């Protein structure tokens, strides 16, 4: 049994991670400021007796006292709004959450002699010129565009992790998460799968940005959580970064058609302008995750979409 801190524990991926770790018998403390996290995501976890929530903003240092005297064996950082719709309105804050928040959690890991896992992102590759993207690709990010607060914030957070590792021997693990979807996403998340499902179910126009020829590769939440935990449990010295995602690649137009077919919706397609710096293609090279972690996703887009549609059908009632 471990004592585990999950920053961003009430969010989409964070809350799934909390429930998996609790189910296997660990004690979990979630930190969240509820900027995008949801109380209903974590409400059911309280019954376990092994879960507690501390309302906290990671841009403020978190101390031993604030942890009610608990020592942590492991710290996972999932605290950052991940959808452009949520991270772009206050870009300065997004940068600070990524950089200051990371520093505060690294200081906590150092003080507790805890392992720390950072959830980085495929956004570090920007609009990639190499396809699929291996971890060795250094990326193509516009440093001054509207996505930069997230992309560059996450890149700087990786740098900080490695600086703490080299300077203080902090035990770090970095995963780069590619597009992930599933139950407990917000209805107003703003990303493509939740938008399309909610629009299709409501009979509203399905909003395709650009001509819909851009591609993404979507990973179901359960596969992602398994990969994140496998990375935390990887041998000492394995720092990453390691890509986690499902390499099955689809155009956005294909996603729209699939969701319309599965929901039986008559929603029309509505073409909207492509947001600035929106990457044209994205597909993870996951060979490193296979080699180091023995991990690969198991849930196809078809199966995952069925589960996500079932979730949103209930949530929209
Ligand atoms: N997208 C879209 N309609 C939407 C939401 C997103 O066409 O309602 C597109 C978006 O422009 C991008 C892709 O879908 O090309 C994935 O966007 P998302 O925000 O889900 O993830 P990210 O851009 O972070 O990969």
């Amino acid at each position: 049994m471990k004592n585990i801190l999950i920053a961003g524990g009430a969010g989409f991926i964070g809350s799934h991670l909390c429930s998996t770790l609790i189910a296997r018998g660990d004690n979990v403390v979630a930190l969240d400021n509820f900027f995008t996290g949801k109380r209903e995501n974590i409400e059911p976890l309280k019954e376990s007796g092994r879960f507690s929530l501390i309302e906290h903003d990671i841009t403020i240092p978190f101390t031993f006292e604030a942890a009610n005297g608990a020592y942590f064996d492991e710290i996972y950082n999932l605290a950052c709004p991940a959808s452009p719709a949520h991270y772009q309105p206050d870009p300065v804050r997004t940068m600070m959450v990524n950089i200051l928040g990371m520093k505060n959690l690294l200081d906590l890991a150092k003080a507790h002699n805890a392992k720390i896992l950072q959830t980085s992102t495929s956004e570090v590759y920007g609009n990639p010129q190499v396809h699929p993207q291996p971890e060795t690709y250094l990326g193509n990010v516009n440093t001054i565009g509207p996505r930069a607060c997230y992309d560059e914030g996450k890149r700087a957070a990786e740098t900080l992790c490695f600086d703490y590792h080299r300077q203080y021997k902090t035990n770090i693990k970095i995963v780069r998460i590619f597009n992930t979807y599933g139950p407990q996403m917000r209805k107003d998340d703003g990303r493509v799968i939740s938008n399309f499902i909610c629009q299709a179910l409501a009979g509203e126009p399905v909003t395709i940005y650009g001509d819909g020829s851009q591609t993404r590769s979507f990973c179901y939440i359960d596969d992602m959580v398994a990969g994140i935990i496998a990375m935390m449990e990887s041998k000492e010295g394995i720092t990453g970064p390691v890509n986690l995602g499902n390499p099955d690649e689809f155009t956005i137009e294909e996603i729209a058609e699939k969701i319309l077919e599965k929901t039986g919706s008559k929603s029309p397609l509505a073409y909207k302008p492509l947001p600035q710096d929106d990457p044209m293609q994205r597909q993870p090279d996951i060979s490193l995750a296979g080699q180091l972690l023995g991990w690969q996703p198991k849930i196809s887009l078809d199966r995952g979409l069925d589960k996500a549609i079932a979730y949103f059908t209930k949530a929209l009632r």
Side-chain angles (χ1 to χ4, degrees):
M1 191 189 70
K2 291 175 190 150
N3 281 333
I4 301 179
L5 183 83
I6 303 185
F12 163 49
I13 301 181
S15 58
H16 282 275
L17 185 60
C18 288
S19 61
T20 304
L21 294 173
I22 288 166
R24 74 172 197 189
D26 293 320
N27 281 322
V28 171
V29 176
L31 298 189
D32 214 292
N33 68 348
F34 293 101
F35 181 64
T36 53
K38 287 190 299 182
R39 284 178 205 278
E40 67 230 54
N41 284 349
I42 49 167
E43 212 48 56
L45 305 179
K46 293 186 179 153
E47 282 165 27
S48 67
R50 291 194 300 278
F51 176 79
S52 54
L53 165 78
I54 301 178
E55 245 181 283
H56 181 83
D57 180 332
I58 59 161
T59 59
I60 298 161
F62 188 73
T63 59
F64 182 70
E65 292 74 28
N68 297 328
Y71 254 102
F72 297 112
D73 303 299
E74 296 176 350
I75 298 170
Y76 288 86
N77 183 19
L78 293 103
C80 184
S83 170
H86 295 283
Y87 72 66
Q88 287 180 343
D90 191 349
V92 174
R93 210 186 134 63
T94 301
M95 271 302 248
M96 291 304 115
V97 170
N98 276 313
I99 299 175
L100 249 187
M102 186 79 250
K103 180 188 180 294
N104 288 332
L105 293 177
L106 283 162
D107 283 336
L108 187 72
K110 190 167 155 248
H112 287 234
N113 203 16
K115 249 192 279 187
I116 181 163
L117 181 145
Q118 163 65 352
T119 55
S120 187
T121 169
S122 56
E123 288 282 328
V124 300
Y125 303 122
N127 189 15
Q129 307 296 300
V130 170
H131 196 72
Q133 296 79 54
E135 292 82 354
T136 46
Y137 176 51
L138 298 182
N140 177 36
V141 176
N142 174 8
T143 59
I144 57 170
R147 288 176 95 94
C149 57
Y150 186 75
D151 301 5
E152 293 294 345
K154 287 281 189 181
R155 287 172 70 96
E158 288 195 7
T159 307
L160 265 179
C161 287
F162 270 84
D163 289 340
Y164 269 69
H165 178 61
R166 283 185 288 256
Q167 201 167 332
Y168 305 118
K169 310 264 178 290
T170 308
N171 192 350
I172 59 155
K173 309 270 180 196
I174 298 175
V175 291
R176 290 180 177 157
I177 295 181
F178 284 64
N179 299 62
T180 301
Y181 68 100
Q184 286 169 215
M185 280 182 102
R186 298 173 65 100
K187 286 173 273 185
D188 65 352
D189 178 277
R191 277 173 296 181
V192 68
I193 299 237
S194 49
N195 269 10
F196 284 5
I197 294 176
C198 293
Q199 290 162 342
L201 291 175
E204 289 164 5
V206 166
T207 53
I208 295 188
Y209 302 160
D211 63 4
S213 65
Q214 70 273 35
T215 69
R216 293 293 188 274
S217 311
F218 296 95
C219 187
Y220 189 69
I221 181 68
D222 293 359
D223 283 331
M224 182 53 62
V225 166
I228 292 171
I229 294 174
M231 182 63 177
M232 182 59 108
E233 292 181 344
S234 62
K235 283 195 213 108
E236 196 167 346
I238 295 182
T239 55
V242 174
N243 287 340
L244 294 179
N246 188 322
D248 289 345
E249 186 184 9
F250 298 87
T251 67
I252 295 307
E253 209 162 39
E254 285 170 335
I255 299 290
E257 281 157 11
K258 240 182 208 304
I259 290 174
L260 286 176
E261 194 195 307
K262 282 182 178 293
T263 53
S265 170
K266 300 269 177 297
S267 288
L269 298 181
Y271 289 84
K272 306 267 175 193
L274 189 69
Q276 193 191 327
D277 294 335
D278 197 274
M280 280 314 292
Q281 53 181 6
R282 183 180 291 155
Q283 182 189 35
D285 177 336
I286 56 165
S287 25
L288 189 63
Q291 276 163 37
L292 295 180
L293 314 176
W295 175 87
Q296 59 174 41
K298 298 192 179 90
I299 299 164
S300 66
L301 184 65
D302 273 313
R303 254 182 78 205
L305 279 181
D306 289 342
K307 290 166 185 257
I309 290 168
Y311 168 78
F312 282 111
T313 304
K314 262 193 175 169
L316 290 177
R317 262 188 212 137

